């Protein structure tokens, strides 16, 4: 057992650190959240990494992967979090991309993978439906084969950043006569196709991140079907496994704890820094320890993956513990700013009727971030569902 | 031993409930919150006519002679409807300062304006460096002839944009955090040297940052004795806590009812999700948190007139209870509603946000645990 970095790893770290320092656009770092960023803002870092050839480090080399070791990928994530780079959108890079190179045909690979790598194609995820949340397999959006097309009718919801999307990967029902999981197919849909309507959903923090997507007689060429008809659930589960393994967010949480400590160091309680107060420092310590455990748990999972085991049901631990830590940090950050937690900070999409946002800069959006992060225990398979997965698949209950 | 409400209190509850059911449904509230004004002045006038603004004042003061329990009844109903109008600030807090500490002349000058709905008040007590310590004041009032000159900065003055009168705490002597030397003043928001910058809050209200620059105050602006104001501030904030607990209980009740109802109807895996035992137990915990909060709310409001120690322990204890329960119930209500709980469209997120901010208001769980411990 050895958790230390080799000299080669350390040299790699210096290299990527210098690259990020030189190339990450600082003006973007100052924008608060994705909700305030334009499409090009969100894509800027993606394009820089694409030019460098580093945008798909975990892909197989033949599809544009970098061939980094697990340790190098870990270092890369750490360094990106440390520099607070814009998180890359997962929909193309870690969701549909791996599905396409694993299950797509050669034509599909040639057609879609370059746009995912370059960022020219923006993807969104057509999974959840109003009636199908935790029970995803009950989805009802229907695709009927008519000649060499599918005609799609139904609606998807919680579709993140669909307002910018060029393409949607979509789970559709192609057979209603069989067991739910056996009648689902995986379709790639051009968002410019007639019959698609995107309606914003504003979340309680005021952000416009998610949408409803309505599909009415949307005609999709049959060549956009991934793999076999009615085998979509297999691909969907493969994708969800990938989604969960990235969800722990360890490096970003470390950075968030650092920020929390800076805030607690600046905030006063009876004239002393809040950071020195026993109760509060203890709460920070607790979440720090949870995060330390999570970090090693994640490394153990990655190590077993590198020995050829795919992300197993153990990755549900990363989802549950990772989101609990993220939620706790935003909660403590809100708590740290005291009375200024009351302040509402308007989002980019809102009319700037009142732009006065008082309090120290670090307090801006503190409670809204806390509100927003409540989503993490709901999305990607709710934490209750993750408990069910572990109970069934790991404990055999 | 009697936990029942009087006939008058039941009538009061029915009246408030009736008003809010007719005129304060969630969509109406949404319009109020997003309007330029941010509140309904016409409702305020109706409440004056219905006697709500007079409830806690004595009959000699032009009020109805109600006590903390009457305020509790009103605030619980306000909590259920997520009312944003500044009843807490004007009637409970500013009214509290006037009732508990003001001279007869001051009462005669200011209470009728509240009862009639003519004056709206806000209470400027918090300062950026002070966190929840009511004595941690940098704002000063220096003696000047018969009166005072006020200088300083107050943070997050809730209801500030709607107010024309302010209660302001300031230091007239002593060090920054001394118990002695705190004084309480009545200040016209329109007075020369008072400037306010307004903004919305995350729970659908409005607040102001207020700067006082050489504001001249007459002798009649001082409530009580100079430098001896802290016990009054503590007492009135405790009354605010009693009212806030009732508001929290109202909000939790709505969230719990909505969550149980949702889990009975929302089907996944072919059954209502309320059939899953893990969610059943969660909702039972939410229910127990609510019941414990009701108990603490009754308790604190019955002990409002006890000695300082007894009242402090009751208020801080109740504040800890609703802080913890509000957090748990709010978070779980969102969780059990799934994605819908995250939306601006559904009322659940709005209750959650308000309950979250109730923990911050008047000091959070940590603050009140300490205050409870030190109260002996």
């Amino acid at each position: 057992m050895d958790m230390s970095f080799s000299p080669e790893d350390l040299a790699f770290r210096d290299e990527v650190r210098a690259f990020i320092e030189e190339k990450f656009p600082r003006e973007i770092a100052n924008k608060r959240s994705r909700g305030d960023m334009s499409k090009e803002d969100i894509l800027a870092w993606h394009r820089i990494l694409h030019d460098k050839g580093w945008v798909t480090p975990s892909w197989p080399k033949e599809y544009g992967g970098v061939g980094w070791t697990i340790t190098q990928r870990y270092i890369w994530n750490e360094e990106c979090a440390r520099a607070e780079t814009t998180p890359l959108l997962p929909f193309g890079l870690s969701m549909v991309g791996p599905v396409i190179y694993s299950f797509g045909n050669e034509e599909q690979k040639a057609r879609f993978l370059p746009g995912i790598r370059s960022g020219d194609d923006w993807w969104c995820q057509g999974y959840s439906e109003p009636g199908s949340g935790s029970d995803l397999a009950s989805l009802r959006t229907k695709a009927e084969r008519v000649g060499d097309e599918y005609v799609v009718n139904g609606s998807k919801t919680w579709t993140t950043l669909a307002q910018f999307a060029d393409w949607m990967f979509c789970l559709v029902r192609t057979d209603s006569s069989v067991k739910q999981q056996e009648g689902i197919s995986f379709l790639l849909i051009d968002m410019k196709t007639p019959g698609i309507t995107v309606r914003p959903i504003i979340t309680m923090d005021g952000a416009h991140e998610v949408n409803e997507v309505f599909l009415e007689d949307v005609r999709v060429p049959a060549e956009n079907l991934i793999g076999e008809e009615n085998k979509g659930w297999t691909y969907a589960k493969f994708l969800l496994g990938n989604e969960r393994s990235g969800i722990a967010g360890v490096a970003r949480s470390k950075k968030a704890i650092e920020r929390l400590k800076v805030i607690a160091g600046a905030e006063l309680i009876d004239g002393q820094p809040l950071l020195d107060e026993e109760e509060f420092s203890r709460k920070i310590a607790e979440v720090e320890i949870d995060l330390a455990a999570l970090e090693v748990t994640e490394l153990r999972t990655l190590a077993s993956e590198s020995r050829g085991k795919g992300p197993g049901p153990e990755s549900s631990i990363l989802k549950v513990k990772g989101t609990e830590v993220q939620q706790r940090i935003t909660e403590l950050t809100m708590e740290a700013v005291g009375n200024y937690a009351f302040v509402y900070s308007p989002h980019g999409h809102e009319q700037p009727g009142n732009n006065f946002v008082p309090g120290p800069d670090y307090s801006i959006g503190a409670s809204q971030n806390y509100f927003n992060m409540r989503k993490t225990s709901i999305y990607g398979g709710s934490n209750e569902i993750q408990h069910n997965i572990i109970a069934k698949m790991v404990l055999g209950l | 031993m009697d936990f029942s409400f009087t006939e008058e209190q039941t009538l009061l509850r029915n009246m408030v409930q009736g008003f809010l059911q007719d005129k304060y449904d969630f969509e109406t509230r949404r319009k109020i919150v997003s309007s330029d004004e941010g509140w309904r002045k016409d409702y305020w006038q109706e409440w004056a006519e219905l006697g709500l603004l007079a409830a806690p004042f004595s009959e000699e003061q032009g009020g109805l002679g109600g006590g903390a329990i009457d305020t509790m009844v009103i605030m619980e109903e306000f909590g259920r409807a997520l009312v944003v109008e500044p009843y807490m600030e004007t009637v409970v807090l500013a009214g509290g300062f006037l009732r508990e500490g003001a001279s007869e002349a001051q009462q005669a000058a200011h209470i009728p304006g509240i009862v009639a709905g003519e004056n709206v008040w806000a209470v400027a007590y918090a300062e950026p460096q002070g966190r929840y310590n009511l004595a941690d004041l940098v704002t000063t009032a220096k003696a000047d002839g018969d009166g005072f000159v006020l200088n300083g900065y107050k943070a997050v003055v809730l209801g500030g944009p709607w107010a024309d009168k302010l209660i302001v705490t300031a230091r007239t002597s002593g060090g920054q955090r001394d118990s002695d030397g705190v004084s309480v003043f009545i200040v016209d928001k329109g007075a020369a040297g008072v400037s306010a910058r307004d903004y919305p809050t995350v729970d659908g209200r409005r607040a102001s940052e207020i700067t006082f620059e050489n504001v001249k105050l007459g002798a009649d602006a001082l409530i009580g004795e100079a430098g001896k104001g802290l016990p009054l501030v503590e007492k009135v904030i405790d009354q605010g806590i009693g009212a806030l607990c009732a508001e929290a209980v109202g909000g939790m009740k709505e969230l719990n009812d909505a969550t149980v109802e949702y889990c009975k109807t929302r089907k996944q895996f072919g059954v209502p999700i309320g059939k899953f035992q893990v969610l059943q137990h969660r909702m039972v915990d939410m229910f127990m948190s609510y019941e414990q909060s009701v108990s603490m709310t009754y308790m604190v409001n019955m002990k409002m007139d006890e000695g300082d120690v007894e009242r402090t322990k009751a208020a801080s204890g109740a504040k800890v209870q609703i802080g913890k329960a509000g957090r748990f119930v709010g978070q779980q209500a969102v969780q059990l509603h799934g994605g819908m709980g995250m939306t601006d469209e559904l009322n659940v997120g709005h209750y959650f946000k308000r309950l979250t901010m109730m923990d911050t208001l008047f000091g959070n769980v940590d603050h009140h645990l300490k205050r409870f411990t030190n109260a002996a």
Side-chain angles (χ1 to χ4, degrees), chain B residues 46-72:
Chain B
E46 288 189 56
W47 296 349
E49 283 153 30
L50 292 171
L52 289 186
L53 307 182
F57 297 101
S58 70
E59 283 167 32
E60 303 83 70
Q61 293 163 348
L64 302 177
I69 302 298
D70 301 75
T71 302
M72 183 181 93

Side-chain angles (χ1 to χ4, degrees), chain B residues 47-368:
Chain B
W47 296 349
E49 283 153 30
L50 292 171
L52 289 186
L53 307 182
F57 297 101
S58 70
E59 283 167 32
E60 303 83 70
Q61 293 163 348
L64 302 177
I69 302 298
D70 301 75
T71 302
M72 183 181 93
V73 166
I74 295 169
M75 289 299 292
E76 188 183 340
E77 295 304 320
F78 281 2
R80 292 180 60 191
L82 286 171
V83 166
V84 297
E85 279 71 12
Y87 193 85
M88 167 74 84
E89 289 76 13
T90 302
V91 180
V92 180
L93 296 178
F97 280 105
L98 294 170
R99 283 189 298 274
E100 302 290 342
S103 66
E104 277 183 31
Q106 286 169 324
Q107 291 179 343
H110 297 293
I111 291 176
I114 293 179
V115 168
E118 285 159 11
N119 298 119
V120 174
W121 292 64
V123 184
Y125 63 94
E127 298 187 3
Q129 83 293 338
R131 206 167 180 82
Y132 309 125
N133 181 346
L134 300 168
D136 191 331
L137 299 174
V138 177
T139 298
T140 58
K142 293 217 161 65
D144 176 53
D146 289 355
F148 299 87
V149 178
L150 182 67
N151 277 288
Y153 183 93
K154 293 290 181 175
V156 197
V157 180
L158 293 165
W162 306 324
D164 58 319
K165 303 266 187 190
L166 302 171
I167 297 282
V168 182
T169 59
R171 191 156 281 290
T172 42
S173 62
Q176 189 183 320
R177 283 178 293 278
D178 288 354
S179 305
D180 269 352
V182 174
S183 302
V184 180
F185 296 96
I186 297 166
V187 179
D188 261 340
K189 210 179 118 194
V194 179
S195 53
R197 295 197 72 187
D198 304 339
Y199 52 92
T201 63
V202 291
D203 54 354
R205 289 145 199 251
R206 305 288 165 95
S208 308
E209 302 288 290
I210 303 185
T211 307
F212 302 94
E213 208 178 341
N214 295 320
V215 179
K216 290 201 180 306
L217 302 175
D220 58 350
L222 176 69
I223 294 183
E225 204 182 324
K228 303 290 178 204
L230 188 61
L232 172 65
V233 178
E234 297 267 355
K235 183 170 190 184
V236 172
I237 295 294
D238 282 348
Q239 294 178 357
I241 288 173
L244 188 72
C245 288
E247 192 195 334
V249 158
M252 283 186 240
K253 169 90 175 129
E254 290 297 310
L255 273 185
N256 282 352
D257 288 354
T259 304
V260 167
E261 194 50 41
Y262 182 79
C263 290
K264 281 181 182 170
T265 50
R266 168 75 174 176
K267 282 190 177 168
Q268 294 282 271
F269 307 103
V271 291
I273 61 173
K275 290 284 172 210
F276 298 122
Q277 197 173 39
V278 69
L279 300 190
Q280 288 176 350
H281 287 194
R282 195 91 53 84
M283 285 183 275
V284 170
D285 284 333
M286 291 164 76
F287 172 72
M288 293 195 291
S289 291
Y290 161 77
E291 287 295 337
Q292 294 280 77
S293 300
V294 170
S295 300
M296 286 303 258
T297 300
Y298 287 180
M299 188 273 283
V300 63
N301 282 299
M302 287 186 287
K303 288 196 171 179
M304 221 41 106
D305 295 321
E306 306 263 337
D308 284 352
V309 172
E310 195 67 357
R311 190 204 68 233
T312 300
K313 291 194 96 158
S316 285
K319 189 68 173 51
V320 168
Q321 170 63 33
I322 64 127
K324 286 181 169 178
R327 169 178 182 260
F328 178 72
V329 168
Q331 290 180 349
Q332 294 308 327
V334 171
Q335 181 72 20
L336 269 56
H337 277 84
M340 282 308 296
M342 284 300 300
T343 63
D344 178 71
E345 191 184 340
L346 196 69
N347 58 11
V348 167
H350 296 264
Y351 285 103
F352 166 63
K353 290 191 283 186
R354 179 60 188 156
L355 282 170
T356 304
M357 297 326 296
M358 286 193 215
D359 182 42
T360 301
L361 189 55
F362 308 138
N364 67 357
V365 167
D366 282 2
H367 173 81
H368 283 285

Side-chain angles (χ1 to χ4, degrees), chain A residues 367-397:
Chain A
S367 3
Q368 285 157 280
N369 287 341
Y370 164 69
F371 299 149
N372 183 279
M373 288 307 277
R374 300 314 303 173
K375 72 188 176 190
T376 64
S377 49
I378 296 169
Y379 69 29
S382 73
N383 285 16
E384 287 83 0
I385 291 294
Q386 306 300 331
H387 279 79
N388 287 348
I389 291 172
I390 296 173
K392 191 173 166 191
M393 309 298 287
V394 182
L395 305 184
L397 294 171

Side-chain angles (χ1 to χ4, degrees), chain A residues 133 196 288 328 334 397:
Chain A
I196 298 180
E288 233 179 326
R328 185 64 180 146
M334 170 181 71
L397 294 171

